[in-house]
Amino acid sequence: MSTMNDVAQRAGVSLKTVSRVVNGEPNVSEQTRRKVDAAIAELDFRPNSVARNLRTGRIDLIGLALPYLSQPYFSSLAEEIMREAERHGLTVLIELTEGDAEAELALVREHGPHLGGLLMYPVGLSDAQALTVARTVPTVFISERAYDAHVDRVAMANREGVRALVGHMVSLGYTRIAALGADHTGRPERAAAHLRLDGYRDGLRDAGLPYLPELVLEVGTPHWNRQEGSAGMRRLIEGGIPFDAVVAFADALALGALHAVQEAGLRVPAEVAVAGFDDTDDARYAHPSLTSVAPGRAQIAREALALLNDRMNGTVDQEPGRLVVADFQLTVRESTLGGMAAWGGA
Amino acid sequence: MSTMNDVAQRAGVSLKTVSRVVNGEPNVSEQTRRKVDAAIAELDFRPNSVARNLRTGRIDLIGLALPYLSQPYFSSLAEEIMREAERHGLTVLIELTEGDAEAELALVREHGPHLGGLLMYPVGLSDAQALTVARTVPTVFISERAYDAHVDRVAMANREGVRALVGHMVSLGYTRIAALGADHTGRPERAAAHLRLDGYRDGLRDAGLPYLPELVLEVGTPHWNRQEGSAGMRRLIEGGIPFDAVVAFADALALGALHAVQEAGLRVPAEVAVAGFDDTDDARYAHPSLTSVAPGRAQIAREALALLNDRMNGTVDQEPGRLVVADFQLTVRESTLGGMAAWGGA
DNA sequence: TTGTAGGCGTTATCAA
DNA sequence: TTGATAACGCCTACAA
């Protein structure tokens, strides 16, 4: 690799002049600029970002800490974030935490000081630990859980999204709407479940429908997967409790429910309507295709990077602790609306 | 952040002595070492890797270039690679190419010179471009396509895997076995399709079965998704060509096929057996659960990092161009074996 | 066993 | 508009 020095010699100018041209600074004559540009091209010079970072103390590398990459929500979130980071001229270093507080902390201890910023989807972190993280490196959380510690955060419209889902069901004439995925442990890391249940209650209230505890299904583990969804739905069916719709708090739960409902010989949506949350690809390709709430992944990525950028550049005097809630979108498909769309369609 | 200088002052020793302690070099008295360690702890000193890298020219950062992250195969591969990289003390910087040769090259131009190594799943790269990449930075390809340019490579057992799949079908008594996902364009970037078709022929030959072109289904696009699988299968069914098994070249195709077969009122596996390739989570959770070939992701990650590590450290005198083919595993589930396993089981 | 001098490639300072 | 010189934090070579 050629260095700035090589370019300077070749162009017959000083080091600093090359630096000026490279960084687009003013006060360089057009003629000099051309000479330098030519030399840069000839030598295929590329600035050494390591050296640049050392000198400026600014780092164009941000960390992205996620529990997993193999779950559709996280991998598509990661994709969006990487695209957005590129727009900001930032490079993304991905770390997996597996949802373990110790791993989340270790990562920050290890890499934090050498990162320009950090986007984290915290799982196990306590309030105190969250503060430690945010003190080590400019941080933005992507999380449904609110932290006491003041950290900038981007969240989904959990409550409003489910509320709209229930409203949609009601508008189609369904009245005995089950909720799938509730949590009654009250543990803070299950905030998404709590907020979505709140939204479910809101939706019922909007419609003047009663809240029936027997229609609210908890699932065995905090993992919202198809098996849990399927098992939960089977319990409801076997319990003989009448219902005509299911609002699941995640697409995976909804897909499991879909399976159990169909296995029980019930037609979807003629006899039972089903909807999910997340709008994953699986929802689009399911049979029937699944109505779902799209949480605005692109916006989440955009907002998260905007907040982080502010912090990194110090271009904001507001205290950390800002909250942005992304807009959601209700994506209606066959599982609530019937056979209008073709299988696999949007 | 405190620097080595701060530590040196605090401990009352020279900069170099601190450096020795930090890097675990010999020739430091136990007493001095303790003094320095104490100062390091008090100041919470962490070596600045930027400065270190600038000086040593060695970088513990590797790039991982993938076309997408939102497809299950790539996200789970990325997970495995990150786990393995951590074991090697390497940090992973992920880049998305979207399968575009220009993006693949740009990424290498931009970041290549400042990376310790690169793992790439090339898609659009020509032979000449592959050489450019490998010259810029120590590179290992994860790819089914063989490049003329000598670059180390890790691949799946495409041919052997499908051959085993066909053998499995034959052992269960199926004789009219369709292949789904063939490519007759011969384009090099579709090497996986070619090799898997070879494996299909091998399997038939092993069993003394004839190769019947009417049972070999091409899909419309190079994208192996459910819709393509479903459409392909429908063509076969509507064509009235008798068949009793389907070997799909990807799980997504198999899942689409499963759907089309069931929609046509055929029972799986009683009337038609179905199998895929990749062993994604979707295969495990499908209904019926899908028999598939597990391509050995963990081993692919392990071998790729082993090869890359060799190159980065120069601990190998072999020319680049080594090839490692990962072991595969046939995962038999309900879609070929019947209702022995519970839905959602392994 | 310990320390000094110099330099990695870039940007910042200040003078010309 | 340009350039000489110092500095970022660390490691290597060599000297003490």
Side-chain angles (χ1 to χ4, degrees), chain B:
Chain B
M1 285 297 290
S2 45
T3 75
M4 263 194 183
N5 241 318
D6 303 334
V7 175
Q9 270 192 312
R10 174 129 194 154
V13 299
S14 82
L15 195 62
K16 178 60 207 179
T17 302
V18 178
S19 171
R20 286 199 180 91
V21 172
V22 169
N23 296 322
E25 289 173 35
N27 296 334
V28 180
S29 74
E30 197 45 51
Q31 189 184 359
T32 318
R33 187 180 299 275
R34 261 201 297 275
K35 260 197 310 194
V36 172
D37 278 332
I40 287 175
E42 286 166 32
L43 296 173
D44 189 29
F45 164 77
R46 321 198 140 264
N48 179 328
S49 58
V50 172
R52 171 182 288 168
N53 292 339
L54 175 60
R55 180 59 240 220
T56 60
R58 189 165 282 165
I59 325 182
D60 55 1
L61 187 69
I62 63 170
L64 173 60
L66 299 173
Y68 307 99
L69 215 50
S70 55
Q71 291 178 9
Y73 173 70
F74 292 117
S75 57
S76 54
L77 179 64
E79 256 198 40
E80 296 285 357
I81 285 176
M82 290 168 61
R83 269 194 256 285
E84 189 62 25
E86 199 181 333
R87 268 181 223 123
H88 288 259
L90 296 169
T91 305
V92 178
L93 188 156
I94 299 194
E95 303 276 354
L96 296 180
T97 63
E98 314 215 338
D100 176 48
E102 197 38 61
E104 291 172 329
L105 275 179
L107 167 181
V108 171
R109 260 200 309 268
E110 181 76 13
H111 294 290
H114 313 308
L115 291 174
L118 176 67
L119 293 175
M120 177 178 251
Y121 189 100
V123 177
L125 242 42
S126 69
D127 284 303
Q129 290 170 324
L131 192 59
T132 307
V133 169
R135 275 196 189 132
T136 306
V137 49
T139 301
V140 171
F141 283 161
I142 299 172
S143 166
E144 311 318 314
R145 167 178 175 185
Y147 279 89
D148 276 350
H150 292 310
V151 183
D152 291 328
R153 180 165 72 96
V154 182
M156 299 185 210
N158 293 288
R159 187 165 181 167
E160 285 308 312
V162 173
R163 180 183 190 170
L165 222 40
V166 172
H168 170 65
M169 293 292 195
V170 169
S171 77
L172 293 171
Y174 300 98
T175 54
R176 291 193 59 91
I177 303 165
L180 179 58
D183 168 74
H184 293 126
T185 65
R187 288 164 61 194
E189 65 266 36
R190 312 217 35 201
H194 307 152
L195 292 166
R196 291 176 197 184
L197 184 58
D198 289 342
Y200 170 75
R201 302 182 91 128
D202 290 346
L204 293 179
R205 198 176 308 118
D206 292 344
L209 290 172
Y211 175 86
L212 304 172
E214 65 270 26
L215 287 180
V216 176
L217 305 169
E218 215 161 339
V219 293
T221 71
H223 288 96
W224 281 340
N225 59 33
R226 296 185 206 197
Q227 284 175 84
E228 291 295 338
S230 177
M233 194 46 38
R234 269 200 292 264
R235 279 201 306 279
L236 184 67
I237 293 170
E238 285 161 11
I241 299 160
F243 68 100
D244 57 12
V246 182
V247 169
F249 292 174
D251 280 355
L253 290 175
L255 293 170
L258 206 55
H259 178 76
V261 165
Q262 291 175 309
E263 204 170 46
L266 297 165
R267 282 170 302 143
V268 176
E271 294 170 277
V272 176
V274 177
F277 198 110
D278 284 342
D279 194 28
T280 56
D281 271 356
D282 287 347
R284 180 162 41 246
Y285 293 129
H287 178 69
S289 58
L290 186 72
T291 292
S292 189
V293 172
R297 281 186 202 80
Q299 191 192 352
I300 290 174
R302 214 161 43 237
E303 302 281 7
L305 268 144
L307 290 177
L308 187 58
N309 222 31
D310 283 353
R311 286 284 162 237
M312 287 170 63
N313 302 330
T315 52
V316 65
D317 37 359
Q318 244 180 303
E319 283 292 297
R322 295 175 294 171
L323 170 64
V324 174
V325 177
D327 301 324
F328 71 96
Q329 201 169 351
L330 183 58
T331 308
V332 176
R333 301 202 183 88
E334 296 170 338
S335 68
T336 58
L337 206 57
M340 325 295 282
W343 179 73

Side-chain angles (χ1 to χ4, degrees), chain A residues 24-325:
Chain A
E25 288 173 34
N27 295 335
V28 179
S29 74
E30 196 44 51
Q31 190 184 359
T32 317
R33 189 181 299 277
R34 261 202 296 276
K35 259 196 314 193
V36 172
D37 278 333
I40 287 175
E42 286 166 32
L43 295 173
D44 188 31
F45 164 78
R46 322 210 134 256
N48 180 330
S49 59
V50 172
R52 169 180 289 169
N53 293 339
L54 174 60
R55 180 60 242 221
T56 60
R58 193 163 277 167
I59 321 184
D60 54 1
L61 185 69
I62 63 171
L64 174 60
L66 299 173
Y68 307 98
L69 215 50
S70 55
Q71 291 178 11
Y73 173 71
F74 292 116
S75 56
S76 54
L77 179 65
E79 257 198 38
E80 297 284 358
I81 285 176
M82 290 168 61
R83 269 194 258 283
E84 190 63 24
E86 201 181 333
R87 266 179 224 126
H88 287 258
L90 296 170
T91 305
V92 178
L93 188 156
I94 299 194
E95 303 275 355
L96 296 181
T97 64
E98 316 216 336
D100 176 48
E102 198 38 62
E104 290 173 328
L105 275 179
L107 168 179
V108 171
R109 261 199 309 268
E110 181 74 15
H111 294 291
H114 313 308
L115 292 174
L118 175 67
L119 293 174
M120 177 177 250
Y121 189 101
V123 178
L125 242 41
S126 70
D127 283 303
Q129 291 170 324
L131 192 60
T132 306
V133 169
R135 275 196 189 132
T136 306
V137 51
T139 301
V140 172
F141 283 162
I142 299 173
S143 166
E144 310 318 314
R145 166 178 176 185
Y147 279 90
D148 275 350
H150 292 310
V151 183
D152 291 328
R153 181 165 72 95
V154 182
M156 301 184 209
N158 293 288
R159 187 164 181 168
E160 286 309 311
V162 173
R163 180 182 189 169
L165 222 39
V166 172
H168 169 65
M169 293 291 194
V170 169
S171 76
L172 293 171
Y174 299 99
T175 55
R176 292 193 59 92
I177 304 165
L180 179 57
D183 168 75
H184 294 125
T185 65
R187 288 164 61 193
E189 64 266 34
R190 312 218 33 201
H194 306 150
L195 292 166
R196 291 177 196 183
L197 184 58
D198 289 343
Y200 169 76
R201 303 181 89 126
D202 291 346
L204 293 179
R205 198 177 307 117
D206 292 344
L209 290 172
Y211 175 86
L212 305 172
E214 64 269 28
L215 287 181
V216 176
L217 305 169
E218 216 161 338
V219 293
T221 72
H223 288 96
W224 281 341
N225 60 33
R226 298 186 204 196
Q227 284 174 83
E228 291 294 338
S230 178
M233 194 46 38
R234 269 199 293 262
R235 280 200 306 278
L236 184 68
I237 294 170
E238 285 161 11
I241 300 159
F243 68 101
D244 57 12
V246 182
V247 168
F249 292 174
D251 280 355
L253 290 175
L255 293 171
L258 207 57
H259 177 77
V261 165
Q262 291 175 309
E263 203 170 46
L266 296 165
R267 281 168 304 142
V268 176
E271 294 169 277
V272 176
V274 178
F277 197 110
D278 283 345
D279 195 28
T280 55
D281 271 355
D282 288 346
R284 181 161 41 249
Y285 293 129
H287 179 70
S289 57
L290 186 72
T291 292
S292 189
V293 171
R297 280 186 204 79
Q299 191 192 353
I300 290 174
R302 213 162 44 238
E303 302 281 8
L305 269 143
L307 290 177
L308 188 58
N309 222 34
D310 282 354
R311 286 283 162 238
M312 287 170 63
N313 302 329
T315 52
V316 66
D317 37 0
Q318 245 181 303
E319 282 293 296
R322 295 174 295 172
L323 169 64
V324 174
V325 177

